[in-house]
Amino acid sequence: MAIIFNEKEKVFKLDTISSSYMMGIEGQLGHLVHLYYGKKIKGDAAPAGMPGINMAQKIWFMDGNPMEYPAGGCGDFREHCIEIETEEGYTALEPVYASHEITKGKPALPGLPATFAEEDDCTTIAIKLIDAPTGVQITLFYTVFENLDVITRSVRIKNTSDGVIRLTKAMSGCLDIGNEEGYELITLHGSWGRERCIERRKVARGRQGVSVERGTSSHQENPFMALVSPGTNQNMGEVFAMNLIYSGNHVEVCELTNGNLIRMVSGINPYKFSWKLEKDDEFVTPELVMVHSDAGLGKMTRTFHDLYRKHLLRGKYRNIKRPILINNWEGTYFDFDTDKLLAIARDAAKVGIEMLVVDDGWFGNRFDDNRALGDWFVNEDKVKGGLKYLVDEVNKLGMKFGLWFEPEMVCPDSDLYRAHPDWAFQIPGRTPALSRNQMVLDITRKEVRDYIVDSMSKVLSSANVEYIKWDMNRALSDVASLGLPADRQGEIYHRYVLGVYELQDRITTAFPYILLENCSSGGGRYDAGMLYYGPQIWTSDNADAIDRLTIQEGTALVYPLSTMGAHVTDCPNHSVGRTTPFETRGIIALAGTFGYELDVTKISEAERNMIPEQTAMYHKYNDLVREGDYYRLASYSENKVYDSYMVVSKDKREALVTYASVRTIAGYPDPTIKLAGLDEDTVYHVDYLDRDVCGDVLMNYGLPVRHEHGDYKARLYHLTAV
Ligand code: GLA
């Protein structure tokens, strides 16, 4: 059994394949205390005994002991998980154990994305805590995935009193760890065009971490943090990682207390958060994924990848090759019509591209980015002959067809805004801040969500559209809803995220054959919440092959390669002006979903002639890249010279090594890269070297990669068991 309760000692023990998590019920007041998280240990007794309370010194216990779901006001002065306010204005909470239940399987989270599994794959414990004076009931859910080092958590908070309770903070989970090791903190920081760069720092005294108040999970800070022992690298070191399955404002706090204890807390950002709970109302927090690794960051990464591929991604495309697409955005921007699109499709079909995606500009009066968002009807001046004609012609070429939408937005210059100015977020008496000439629709309102679903559905049913790029190009500001009373305005940010989830759920349920790719000015909403609805996300608007090494390294630290939208674009690169070889751009894009974003009729003959070879490589390697185990071998963002990663099939019979030589340095010896994840006794044929080499040699001596003369060169080495 993965979860046991030691009745005598009042200890709960949760076991994954190689980690253990323990908590216990303190004997005097019934506090749920944290006892252990780390490498799997035997036995089910509290490792150092159950902490006791000396009532004359209760604050010593409250403020110094590791806790499972700490609240404020009764002596714990560290970062809390929950804050409330009663009708009288009281804010203190002291939840204590009431009951628990252990069940096979895992309950769904109402209205929220979450991991899922068959009954036999996981076990869940729900521990009920109660704060008698306020009637606040807190149920902590922990699910153990038996074959992965994963524990997921979520919390349900219920008002069992007769009065109204205002919930002002509701975190998804907490982890208290002794800092004897002197831990370091890793987060994923970024901006537009530079998403998810790995940031690492020593944990200092006080509170640190990341937080986002933009309304989306953001380019700036991903909802991820990992605590690592000093010296942790890909292969060694202890890692405690948290990833929040959420797409809105979030916080990841790491506090080093005076008692040399680290408290990690993650959840919805309390910034402008206030949720009204009437009698019997319940609030459900987003799910928090905790991964433990006793063997470095590489093992953590592979655990996240396995979890998300098997227990988060859904739909027709979760386990299959995605069609190789060509997107017209960087190729044409707004300047296209049916003839131009069909010319692109014709040339694309000849070189093995399988789907045409028409990006921004096909609808309403959208000739530039100053107008028409919200008007989801086809612009027949551009799409001459109508959408069905265009799609049918593309289908006749043997290609699929996809379309861009930005459903959550409206431009002041649009029919939609003229008809419903109150549907956009704005505060009466203030002029709302525009961004790219657009405002955010108040999707906390049902009539607005219905409009979006109806108008999108009309387009999607009018032609054979098999892919959607769902974009979201600005942060939320001027947040006020005319649909909510004054005492519920603090619910808007979270209700907005719930609205996004409902919209994507309705569209993917009504059109289950459609492949949904999310996007937010590139990778501004790249999180596990969005991956529940669509199995891929546009990683970054910056498709420069060299910048992508860093962006894709950071993204793949947590999220599977099969989720990373990656395209070959034209040069000089539109984001950074760099020119890289076409071949290199293809190799780097192979690490993701693979596609093109250029006008194939305008690139050089020589480049066009390389595409059939690239599309063939995609078909040859994608099963391996999508499903295999990912190993990071060298990091250009660290060494500033070259980058390397590999993917090994689960049966270890096949592997693909990518080597990118970013800078040529005179006199610099050819690197020999130690491979990983192979079977040490198997002999592999290395295609590029045309040699048979044993796995233990490749992993201990290494793979001598050939010196690439000139900058920005990349090469693939395919290994097959002999
Ligand atoms: C965003 C996306 C781009 C493109 C444009 C269209 O910036 O990230 O890929 O779709 O919008 O306006």
Side-chain angles (χ1 to χ4, degrees):
M1 192 66 171
I3 301 182
I4 51 166
F5 179 54
N6 176 339
E7 185 80 49
K8 192 161 146 263
E9 302 242 349
K10 301 276 182 274
V11 169
F12 300 99
K13 184 156 186 267
L14 285 56
D15 280 331
T16 69
I17 342 172
S18 48
S19 72
S20 296
Y21 188 98
M22 296 172 83
M23 49 200 158
I25 309 164
E26 164 280 314
Q28 197 160 342
L29 298 177
H31 282 279
L32 190 66
V33 297
H34 179 73
L35 298 173
Y36 176 76
Y37 188 31
K39 205 174 158 108
K40 195 166 192 164
I41 53 175
K42 296 189 184 73
D44 55 12
M50 194 67 77
I53 303 180
N54 168 359
M55 289 305 277
Q57 292 287 10
K58 183 179 161 196
I59 281 185
W60 278 101
F61 168 83
M62 296 300 286
D63 196 39
N65 199 74
M67 300 290 211
E68 273 304 312
Y69 199 70
C74 294
D76 189 332
F77 304 109
R78 300 164 289 180
E79 183 73 20
H80 317 132
C81 280
I82 177 167
E83 285 173 12
I84 57 133
E85 196 178 324
T86 64
E87 279 174 358
E88 299 80 11
Y90 303 147
T91 57
L93 265 184
E94 190 177 359
V96 295
Y97 173 84
S99 63
H100 74 269
E101 192 185 0
I102 299 173
T103 49
K104 288 299 289 173
K106 180 174 191 294
L109 261 57
L112 284 164
T115 55
F116 52 83
E118 300 292 321
E119 280 243 316
D120 288 344
D121 289 343
C122 62
T123 310
T124 299
I125 181 166
I127 305 177
K128 207 168 271 175
L129 311 177
I130 188 87
D131 178 65
T134 58
V136 170
Q137 176 190 293
I138 301 168
T139 310
L140 307 177
F141 287 82
Y142 300 77
T143 297
V144 174
F145 285 77
E146 301 185 4
N147 295 315
L148 291 167
D149 287 317
V150 171
I151 297 173
T152 61
R153 297 169 66 165
S154 66
V155 182
R156 294 187 193 202
I157 298 154
K158 188 172 177 180
N159 176 9
T160 67
S161 78
D162 291 329
V164 170
I165 303 263
R166 189 158 286 291
L167 185 63
T168 50
K169 184 175 185 183
M171 295 292 103
S172 295
C174 167
L175 179 63
D176 282 347
I177 302 235
N179 190 38
E180 285 74 23
E181 300 261 358
Y183 285 106
E184 293 166 7
L185 179 68
I186 295 179
T187 56
L188 295 172
H189 167 82
S191 70
W192 173 86
R194 195 168 45 78
E195 293 91 337
R196 289 168 299 285
C197 304
I198 298 172
E199 179 119 330
R200 186 163 175 165
R201 59 187 121 160
K202 184 142 187 72
V203 177
R205 300 251 165 227
R207 288 176 197 178
Q208 55 235 275
V210 295
S211 70
V212 170
E213 300 174 356
R214 294 163 186 266
T216 63
S217 54
S218 88
H219 299 88
Q220 283 69 20
E221 305 291 351
N222 199 257
F224 166 81
M225 70 173 153
L227 202 64
V228 302
S229 53
T232 291
N233 60 22
Q234 287 297 314
N235 310 313
M236 12 170 293
E238 186 165 31
V239 182
F240 302 91
M242 287 184 170
N243 189 208
L244 190 67
I245 304 187
Y246 193 57
S247 313
N249 289 342
H250 58 91
V251 283
E252 284 69 37
V253 181
C254 178
E255 180 181 9
L256 176 55
T257 65
N258 60 359
N260 205 31
L261 194 77
I262 291 180
R263 172 165 287 177
M264 295 167 82
V265 169
S266 172
I268 295 178
N269 195 329
Y271 169 78
K272 297 199 190 303
F273 172 84
S274 170
W275 200 274
K276 186 175 168 188
L277 290 175
E278 310 222 43
K279 183 175 164 45
D280 293 330
D281 281 357
E282 198 173 52
F283 182 83
V284 183
T285 73
E287 181 164 74
L288 181 67
V289 177
M290 294 196 311
V291 170
H292 178 263
S293 163
D294 56 356
L297 288 165
K299 185 176 173 193
M300 174 205 76
T301 292
R302 289 184 290 281
T303 303
F304 274 117
H305 289 193
D306 284 343
L307 177 77
Y308 290 159
R309 286 184 298 201
K310 277 196 222 122
H311 302 288
L312 182 75
L313 304 186
R314 300 178 304 161
K316 174 178 165 186
Y317 285 97
R318 57 174 281 184
N319 295 323
I320 60 170
K321 248 192 270 167
R322 320 284 159 73
I324 301 173
L325 64 82
I326 184 160
N327 176 306
N328 72 313
W329 178 241
E330 286 201 4
T332 68
Y333 292 106
F334 291 102
D335 182 17
F336 63 83
D337 60 12
T338 297
D339 294 341
K340 207 183 231 183
L341 294 172
L342 285 177
I344 291 174
R346 266 180 228 112
D347 275 12
K350 284 184 208 146
V351 289
I353 295 171
E354 300 161 325
M355 176 160 75
L356 174 73
V357 174
V358 177
D359 208 280
D360 193 354
W362 56 267
F363 52 90
N365 186 27
R366 186 83 166 167
F367 290 94
D368 56 32
D369 61 8
N370 291 324
R371 64 204 87 247
L373 289 175
D375 295 345
W376 302 113
F377 48 86
V378 178
N379 177 329
E380 298 215 5
D381 287 337
K382 291 166 93 173
V383 187
K384 294 189 183 73
L387 185 66
K388 184 161 175 10
Y389 169 74
L390 171 64
V391 179
D392 287 349
E393 290 302 301
V394 170
N395 286 167
K396 279 185 207 159
L397 295 167
M399 291 173 84
K400 295 182 189 297
F401 182 88
L403 215 48
W404 179 96
F405 289 89
E406 195 176 352
E408 300 152 63
M409 297 292 151
V410 64
C411 289
D413 181 2
S414 66
D415 292 355
L416 180 65
Y417 189 77
R418 281 182 284 273
H420 300 285
D422 61 309
W423 281 12
F425 281 136
Q426 52 198 303
I427 301 170
R430 290 183 189 279
T431 305
L434 297 178
S435 178
R436 214 187 181 204
N437 244 314
Q438 62 197 60
M439 297 165 82
V440 184
L441 282 173
D442 179 3
I443 58 169
T444 70
R445 291 168 69 175
K446 184 173 180 308
E447 62 273 33
V448 180
R449 297 197 298 276
D450 288 347
Y451 166 80
I452 292 172
V453 171
D454 291 349
S455 56
M456 285 181 76
S457 299
K458 269 189 205 123
V459 176
L460 297 173
S461 329
S462 73
N464 185 24
V465 178
E466 294 179 84
Y467 162 105
I468 294 174
K469 177 174 171 188
W470 184 304
D471 210 339
M472 196 291 184
N473 282 320
R474 63 158 288 179
L476 273 57
S477 73
D478 303 276
V479 168
S481 173
L482 299 180
L484 289 170
D487 62 354
R488 289 198 181 271
Q489 295 290 314
E491 301 178 6
I492 298 175
Y493 279 103
H494 183 57
R495 284 186 186 272
Y496 182 87
V497 180
L498 296 178
V500 174
Y501 294 152
E502 187 202 293
L503 288 172
Q504 297 215 339
D505 191 54
R506 286 167 70 179
I507 292 292
T508 52
T509 305
F511 303 93
Y513 55 87
I514 286 184
L515 170 59
L516 172 62
E517 173 158 358
N518 272 295
C519 171
S520 177
S521 301
R525 201 161 57 179
Y526 203 120
D527 59 67
M530 300 315 288
L531 286 176
Y532 182 71
Y533 301 96
Q536 62 194 57
I537 300 177
W538 181 224
T539 313
S540 176
D541 277 345
N542 182 355
D544 169 61
I546 303 309
D547 284 356
R548 274 295 181 115
L549 296 173
T550 302
I551 297 169
Q552 293 179 182
E553 176 188 3
T555 305
L557 185 70
V558 182
Y559 306 102
L561 303 187
S562 69
T563 67
M564 294 197 303
H567 300 167
V568 176
T569 59
D570 205 1
C571 278
N573 175 270
H574 292 203
S575 299
V576 295
R578 186 179 288 122
T579 296
T580 52
F582 197 78
E583 197 186 7
T584 299
R585 284 175 258 159
I587 287 175
I588 304 309
L590 277 181
T593 58
F594 198 72
Y596 293 82
E597 186 163 332
L598 40 73
D599 184 344
V600 69
T601 66
K602 291 210 173 125
I603 58 174
S604 72
E605 188 79 33
E607 290 185 341
R608 205 167 25 249
N609 289 341
M610 279 186 236
I611 298 181
E613 200 187 319
Q614 290 179 337
T615 53
M617 277 196 311
Y618 170 78
H619 287 295
K620 183 169 174 194
Y621 299 133
N622 185 258
D623 285 347
L624 172 61
V625 170
R626 217 181 50 247
E627 312 257 300
D629 288 332
Y630 167 83
Y631 291 85
R632 166 66 39 190
L633 304 174
S635 163
Y636 162 64
S637 62
E638 283 171 17
N639 65 37
K640 306 290 177 221
V641 184
Y642 66 93
D643 203 72
S644 185
Y645 46 88
M646 71 187 288
V647 183
V648 184
S649 64
K650 290 278 178 195
D651 65 4
K652 298 187 185 290
R653 304 289 297 166
E654 189 188 2
L656 185 69
V657 179
T658 303
Y659 166 66
S661 158
V662 180
R663 281 200 313 134
T664 310
I665 303 180
Y668 195 90
D670 295 352
T672 299
I673 296 176
K674 286 185 181 155
L675 304 191
L678 300 172
D679 178 54
E680 53 184 20
D681 297 321
T682 299
V683 173
Y684 294 88
H685 181 72
V686 184
D687 66 345
Y688 192 70
L689 304 180
D690 195 18
R691 288 189 57 200
D692 292 347
V693 191
C694 193
D696 69 339
V697 175
L698 289 165
M699 292 193 290
N700 293 301
Y701 174 79
L703 174 78
V705 290
R706 232 191 50 194
H707 179 70
E708 303 290 340
H709 202 69
D711 293 342
Y712 313 139
K713 297 291 175 63
R715 171 106 29 238
L716 292 174
Y717 295 80
H718 187 215
L719 279 60
T720 37
V722 176

